[in-house]
Amino acid sequence: MLLLDLVERSAWTGAQAALGLAVVELADVPVWWAAPVALALASAKSWIAGRLGRKGTASTLPASADPASHPAVI
């Protein structure tokens, strides 16, 4: 499950960066605008995670697939 969580977070980070760069390229503005665009995308991701994922986590995975939802086995 940790691997699934790691993949999810990496995919979101990569998507935010790629979308930020794509937006500034399409808008024909300086590349430094990619950072604020990526931050706006991160806020949107947080909003989505608050509706889809388990409360108190930053995961967009449903609670049944979220590693934070299952008790740790020691």
Side-chain angles (χ1 to χ4, degrees):
M1 286 294 183
L2 180 60
L3 183 59
L4 183 60
D5 189 46
L6 183 64
V7 168
E8 179 218 7
R9 291 172 192 267
S10 298
W12 270 107
T13 302
Q16 290 167 4
L19 282 172
L21 285 172
V23 167
V24 298
E25 285 295 319
L26 289 173
D28 198 26
V29 294
V31 172
W32 68 267
W33 274 101
V37 170
L39 288 173
L41 291 170
S43 294
K45 186 260 184 186
S46 295
W47 184 84
I48 292 168
R51 273 105 190 118
L52 295 179
R54 180 174 174 254
K55 298 291 182 204
T57 70
S59 179
T60 53
L61 296 171
S64 61
D66 184 10
S69 299
H70 306 289
V73 178
I74 300 176

